[in-house]
Amino acid sequence: PNVKLVTSDNEEFVVDFRIAKMSVTVSRLMEAMNMSETDDASLLSNSIPLPNVTKAVMARVIEWCEKHKNDEPKEEKENDKRGRTTHVVSDWDKEFLKNDEFGRLCQLMGAANYLEIKGLFNDISQTIANMIHGKKSDEIAEMFNIHCDLTEAEKKEIRKKTAWCED
Amino acid sequence: LMSNSAVNDLIEYMKKMEQFPILSLPNELIEHVFSFLSIEDRLKTRVNNRLNQIELESKYFVHSLEIRELYGISKLEPLSKKIELPEDTYRDAQKIIFYKSNSYLSDCIKRIAQNTSIGQLSIRLNPNVSFHCKIYNLLKKFDIDHLFFDIKCYCVMENISEDDNSFVVELARVCKQITMSHNSCFLHTDENLLELYSTMKDGSMKLRSISMKVSTDVCFAFLSLIGIEFIDGSFYYDKDIHAFATEHWENGEDEAGDSPVVHFFNGNMEICFVKSRFCSVLKLHYHETGESLDRAKHGRNLICMDSDVE
């Protein structure tokens, strides 16, 4: 059975029920609208509005979900007090995210968060974390193209506190 | 209508917004990214006010952290990166290694203490009294499960704390377990051991277990303060105290060369004393349950010495 998803720019995506279920948000909406896998009429007569996701981003999300629809549900180590979150980004996922500009990556992250697709969300978070890892402060600022709004005194203060890790 | 240059400015601005979208993410998503970073990377990511604020406000847990001072090495030496570091206290710990005691480091530690809680923290410092004082006073701001403490010091530093309490008592508030290496054996006096013992005994402290090297004289003085006297090779103690020892206690070392160990029990407290000639090991342990207490008394092939009581 198929489910209709409608993006903010009014594009309709028709996806497999299983794909739709991968998003906790969509899954919850379907439940609220009494849509069920065994009730074709309920699926045909309804569509799920997703006002926070654009067509371009949705296409990427669906591509990711297609690839991962058969994944075993896995236990992620959470950050509840067990330490730094770690997440292994699979080779396919690395390749999938490799060519995304930083801006697109952030949009995708926003969508994964809104749709509650944990695997994708953590993939992107880990990818961004990897981009940050090992860089110096000014390299990070440059990479993210962040305008520094700190005063000289604040900058000095921050440098002091990271003196042990700056070369 | 907008002038051409204003339109151009706007286009430029929009292009730029495209390019730094990390700031377009809501704080909790940035925080989530931060949760994947090491302390070092986190601190370096504070490149503007908002990121600085997010970093500070997100509490995080560090599994294990090692803060270590290297001795006799200048940071400027080009080969310094290749120096073989002494063995790590923990496997896979995050490390802060520095070359010279300085105020920068204490600022950094202070910042880390503000929003972390730490599983295992290992601190290894070289002698430098004023710097140690700073670090001790910073440790109070942490939230630590297990503190491993290896500080080379050669003088008694009972009054290093800013408050009236001795610093071990201060640490007892923030650490669940403390291990102090033999290098720190000058840190204790019998009075501050008594203070520590008394505050641990009612169970209100976070501290449950501490192991430290203490000069043997100070150990005996402390034991005497809590009603345990050592006279002519035997212990004499109040009747609410119970003692269990290894078999060869009287003969000094046993055949295997292990030091003799005596365990005293008073209420929920266990005082374990491993006697050596000059510097002994003293362990204080607060047992939270009766089962744990029973196991400590009867689960280790110890011989009850209570018949010695006169």
Side-chain angles (χ1 to χ4, degrees):
Chain A
N2 289 332
V3 178
K4 286 179 279 186
L5 308 175
V6 180
T7 61
S8 62
D9 36 4
N10 259 325
E11 183 79 13
E12 189 176 273
F13 286 84
V14 179
V15 299
D16 187 78
F17 188 83
R18 250 196 318 172
I19 300 276
K21 284 285 264 189
M22 288 171 79
S23 155
V24 177
T25 306
V26 170
S27 177
R28 232 184 265 135
L29 285 168
M30 288 197 296
E31 218 169 284
M33 295 161 83
N34 289 321
M35 296 163 71
S36 101
E37 192 173 6
T38 48
D39 181 1
D40 276 344
S42 75
L43 298 180
L44 279 168
S45 58
N46 288 302
S47 59
I48 306 282
L50 298 168
N52 289 350
V53 188
T54 61
K55 170 174 134 188
V57 175
M58 195 65 214
R60 300 278 295 151
V61 171
I62 291 172
E63 190 186 348
W64 187 91
C65 288
E66 280 287 349
K67 178 66 192 175
H68 289 273
K69 65 183 175 195
N70 296 323
D71 287 4
E72 294 284 318
K74 63 178 169 186
E75 294 282 314
E76 289 276 346
K77 276 188 187 170
E78 263 312 304
N79 194 27
D80 54 344
K81 232 227 156 187
R82 306 287 120 231
R84 196 166 136 195
T85 320
T86 50
H87 175 83
V88 180
V89 184
S90 72
D91 287 344
W92 188 89
D93 292 351
K94 270 184 205 155
E95 200 58 34
F96 175 73
L97 297 170
K98 198 177 74 181
N99 295 321
D100 272 309
E101 271 172 53
F102 193 64
R104 301 242 324 241
L105 213 52
C106 287
Q107 283 174 2
L108 200 54
M109 185 179 179
N113 181 51
Y114 167 71
L115 294 168
E116 291 188 55
I117 305 172
K118 206 164 178 185
L120 178 60
F121 183 57
N122 280 336
D123 267 356
I124 300 167
S125 305
Q126 183 70 64
T127 302
I128 298 175
N130 291 347
M131 290 161 76
I132 295 170
H133 175 66
K135 292 212 169 51
K136 292 181 193 171
S137 289
D138 46 357
E139 291 170 339
I140 294 169
E142 193 185 344
M143 173 174 71
F144 293 156
N145 207 347
I146 292 170
H147 167 69
C148 185
D149 55 2
L150 300 162
T151 63
E152 277 309 308
E154 285 169 334
K155 272 196 220 165
K156 202 178 155 202
E157 197 57 29
I158 285 180
R159 265 203 305 276
K160 266 169 75 175
K161 286 172 190 167
T162 49
W164 57 275
C165 60
E166 302 282 357
D167 283 310
Chain B
L1 271 173
M2 287 169 97
S3 70
N4 265 349
S5 73
V7 170
N8 281 339
D9 282 353
L10 189 64
I11 290 170
E12 270 308 297
Y13 174 77
M14 284 168 75
K15 267 189 194 160
K16 272 192 184 150
M17 284 310 287
E18 281 283 290
Q19 281 166 18
F20 40 89
I22 192 164
L23 298 178
S24 71
L25 291 173
N27 286 7
E28 63 266 28
L29 295 201
I30 298 178
E31 233 173 72
H32 187 73
V33 171
F34 277 168
S35 79
F36 288 82
L37 295 175
S38 66
I39 297 176
E40 183 172 336
D41 288 329
R42 281 179 77 100
L43 292 176
K44 284 182 182 172
T45 308
R46 299 172 300 147
V47 291
N48 80 353
N49 274 318
R50 181 153 161 244
L51 293 174
N52 188 26
Q53 208 51 37
I54 294 171
E55 198 288 321
L56 181 64
E57 281 165 10
S58 57
K59 299 251 176 259
Y60 64 110
F61 180 83
V62 178
H63 188 267
S64 57
L65 173 67
E66 183 156 349
I67 296 174
R68 173 190 280 173
E69 180 180 15
L70 291 181
Y71 198 54
I73 293 161
S74 152
K75 188 172 181 176
L76 299 173
E77 281 173 41
L79 290 174
S80 61
K81 289 247 151 144
K82 288 183 190 156
I83 285 165
E84 284 229 0
L85 297 172
E87 204 183 311
D88 294 339
T89 317
Y90 310 117
R91 280 184 62 206
D92 303 326
Q94 300 195 47
K95 296 186 193 69
I96 295 180
I97 293 173
F98 64 104
Y99 305 85
K100 211 173 95 194
S101 318
N102 57 41
S103 59
Y104 286 8
L105 184 78
S106 54
D107 281 348
C108 163
I109 294 175
K110 194 169 170 183
R111 170 69 192 237
I112 293 170
Q114 274 175 305
N115 59 335
T116 55
S117 66
I118 293 186
Q120 304 170 305
L121 174 66
S122 154
I123 302 231
R124 298 172 168 212
L125 302 175
N126 296 313
N128 173 341
V129 176
S130 69
F131 183 63
H132 289 178
C133 291
K134 245 187 206 160
I135 297 294
Y136 295 141
N137 286 308
L138 281 177
L139 284 176
K140 293 186 300 198
K141 302 190 194 320
F142 271 100
D143 168 25
I144 304 167
D145 289 341
H146 184 187
L147 174 67
F148 176 88
F149 205 66
D150 178 358
I151 291 191
K152 294 174 181 61
C153 72
Y154 305 103
C155 60
V156 176
M157 297 205 287
E158 46 185 317
N159 291 322
I160 51 170
S161 168
E162 283 158 354
D163 303 321
D164 294 334
N165 294 317
S166 69
F167 90 96
V168 221
V169 176
E170 300 277 3
L171 288 185
R173 293 212 175 91
V174 295
C175 305
K176 201 169 172 200
Q177 192 188 344
I178 300 176
T179 309
M180 293 174 125
S181 81
H182 61 285
N183 292 310
S184 325
C185 92
F186 292 89
L187 287 169
H188 312 284
T189 63
D190 47 346
E191 284 94 3
N192 70 39
L193 289 174
L194 176 67
E195 190 188 356
L196 177 68
Y197 173 81
S198 314
T199 49
M200 271 180 91
K201 198 165 178 284
D202 67 15
S204 62
M205 284 283 165
K206 185 175 178 187
L207 188 65
R208 290 291 175 259
S209 164
I210 179 165
S211 163
M212 54 206 153
K213 282 262 189 176
V214 179
S215 95
T216 304
D217 291 345
V218 172
C219 274
F220 282 128
F222 159 69
L223 291 174
S224 166
L225 288 174
I226 59 170
I228 302 165
E229 300 285 348
F230 186 67
I231 302 164
D232 295 333
S234 295
F235 283 106
Y236 300 87
Y237 42 88
D238 302 341
K239 62 174 183 308
D240 47 352
I241 294 175
H242 303 283
F244 294 82
T246 48
E247 205 172 339
H248 302 281
W249 161 255
E250 283 89 357
N251 313 330
E253 288 184 0
D254 65 11
E255 291 104 42
D258 289 331
S259 296
V261 185
V262 191
H263 302 260
F264 297 99
F265 292 90
N266 186 359
N268 284 21
M269 284 298 289
E270 175 184 358
I271 304 136
C272 167
F273 176 48
V274 188
K275 185 172 164 282
S276 280
R277 202 148 153 220
F278 302 111
C279 215
S280 301
V281 175
L282 191 65
K283 295 178 193 168
L284 303 179
H285 190 101
Y286 176 87
H287 290 275
E288 285 180 82
T289 62
E291 293 90 75
S292 156
L293 204 55
D294 270 352
R295 239 179 294 127
K297 284 178 187 169
H298 307 296
R300 295 188 286 207
N301 279 333
L302 299 174
I303 298 159
C304 184
M305 300 207 307
D306 290 352
S307 53
D308 286 351
V309 183
E310 302 222 332

